[in-house]
Amino acid sequence: MNGHSTPIGIPAESRRRFEENYRLATQDKGRLFLMAGDQKVEHLNDDFIGGQVASDDADPEHLFHIASEAPVGCFATQLGLISRYGMDYKDIPYLIKLNSKTHLVRSEQRDPLSLQWQSMEQVAEFVRYSGLRVVGVGYTIYPGSEYEAAMLTEASRMIFTAHQMGLLAVIWAYPRGKAVGAREQDAHLIAGAAGLGACLGADFVKVNPPLNTQGEMEAKLLGEAVAAAGRTQVICAGGKETSAEDFLQRLYDQIHTGGTAGCATGRNVHQRSQQEAVRFCQAIHAIAVENKGVDDAVKLLGGRT
């Protein structure tokens, strides 16, 4: 499994299923390209209409069109969307995002709290009867929130049960709240959040890339987070839309300088037209999974970047 450790303490059949799901999600390369489609809750409709956003993005099916054609390791979104569209997109490897909150209540107003929507028993029923390939589940924690204890408890129990079912567990770890303030992308704090993901038993922990003292992203700062996470693999959030070439260079640096194990991106993919989004995913896949260089990846864009 490319150096990734399978959790112990689970039944033999679940162990076999877990290893199959890991190979499928990482495409047998040990790196994860996660397409994030949870923003319809997190950001409501802000990410899906207006400005330079492609008109296709107004319809949630656009996400499924892309995920079905692009070489993504898994598509992460809420179970409700999967249940409404999955019957027409059965070949997508899905990751069910089990908690989400809107951005309407800001951290200045109240520390973030995001609780689980469905129980793992409900997830098991869905997996059993949907006929879809669900490879894992995901959950966001906000270290530093005054409500972190509730989220950590839910996340820990979710991960344990997911492994018992043979599913991967991905943790979104974003330090946030009044105790954190402006330090959300502080490298040392992000490393702490990555280590927290390891203590929860996550297979992957998704973090925001850290900023240096000048407020710029610096890939080498990820080294502390990767070390802190140990056998839990670190992936970075894609962030707001940027040029394709800049995104690909940043991704390459995160992997080869920072030591991360892939990427998770949403807006940078789905805000493009379907054709452009699929080409962009092919370029991301070339770097994140096939271990190619930026120049080779850029060639796959085939035009506008």
Side-chain angles (χ1 to χ4, degrees):
M1 296 227 314
N2 295 287
H4 183 271
S5 59
T6 302
I8 64 171
I10 61 177
E13 177 62 23
S14 294
R15 183 182 182 88
R16 181 192 61 79
R17 190 179 302 117
F18 176 92
E19 290 174 353
E20 287 180 355
N21 285 329
Y22 180 84
R23 284 193 292 268
L24 177 61
T26 64
Q27 300 170 70
D28 237 356
K29 302 293 186 180
R31 288 188 188 153
L32 178 64
F33 173 17
L34 181 150
M35 177 180 160
D38 58 337
Q39 298 93 359
K40 290 191 75 65
V41 176
E42 300 291 340
H43 305 150
L44 296 178
N45 220 34
D46 292 356
D47 289 346
F48 297 88
I49 195 167
Q52 299 300 310
V53 179
S55 59
D56 318 41
D57 211 14
D59 183 346
E61 193 167 6
H62 180 57
L63 298 169
F64 292 82
H65 284 152
I66 297 168
S68 66
E69 291 188 21
V72 300
C74 63
F75 171 44
T77 193
Q78 290 83 12
L79 188 145
L81 276 184
I82 298 172
S83 71
R84 302 304 301 181
Y85 293 91
M87 69 287 287
D88 295 326
Y89 301 93
K90 292 187 175 182
D91 293 332
I92 297 174
Y94 290 101
L95 186 137
I96 300 173
K97 184 70 190 308
L98 283 175
N99 73 328
S100 289
K101 69 170 189 62
T102 76
H103 61 344
L104 294 177
V105 178
R106 299 291 183 177
S107 295
E108 310 86 67
Q109 179 181 346
R110 193 193 76 167
D111 276 9
L113 173 64
S114 184
L115 297 179
Q116 195 165 319
W117 288 15
Q118 291 91 17
S119 69
M120 289 304 291
E121 290 79 8
Q122 290 172 318
V123 171
E125 290 292 291
F126 182 79
V127 172
R128 180 180 178 186
Y129 294 112
S130 67
L132 300 179
R133 187 60 187 268
V134 177
V135 298
V137 290
Y139 189 101
T140 300
I141 60 171
Y142 296 104
S145 168
E146 60 186 306
Y147 306 107
E148 69 173 22
M151 291 177 279
L152 294 177
T153 299
E154 280 197 340
S156 176
R157 293 173 179 175
M158 179 207 77
I159 292 168
F160 181 86
T161 307
H163 288 161
Q164 294 293 312
M165 295 167 57
L167 299 176
L168 303 179
V170 179
I171 289 294
W172 281 237
Y174 301 142
R176 199 163 294 170
K178 289 185 284 293
V180 174
R183 297 184 298 135
E184 290 183 9
Q185 287 181 267
D186 174 78
H188 187 59
L189 191 54
I190 286 173
L196 186 53
C199 292
L200 291 169
D203 302 294
F204 291 89
V205 59
K206 176 189 174 192
V207 299
N208 279 316
L211 304 179
N212 60 23
T213 54
Q214 286 75 47
E216 301 167 338
M217 291 184 188
E218 191 171 344
K220 68 178 183 181
L221 296 177
L222 282 161
E224 184 184 352
V226 171
R231 293 180 178 179
T232 291
Q233 296 177 272
V234 176
I235 56 176
C236 283
K240 296 179 180 180
E241 185 177 5
T242 184
S243 74
E245 290 186 353
D246 287 347
F247 182 98
L248 295 172
Q249 183 63 61
R250 188 175 69 196
L251 172 59
Y252 182 89
D253 293 342
Q254 288 170 352
I255 292 173
H256 293 279
T257 301
T260 60
C263 68
T265 186
R267 287 170 283 182
N268 272 284
V269 168
H270 67 70
Q271 289 183 341
R272 291 170 160 82
S273 68
Q274 182 177 340
Q275 185 181 42
E276 189 180 0
V278 170
R279 288 200 305 264
F280 188 38
C281 285
Q282 290 168 343
I284 293 171
H285 180 270
I287 291 175
V289 179
E290 297 178 354
N291 209 33
K292 292 187 177 179
V294 175
D295 290 343
D296 288 334
V298 168
K299 292 175 184 176
L300 296 172
L301 298 173
R304 179 180 162 218
T305 61

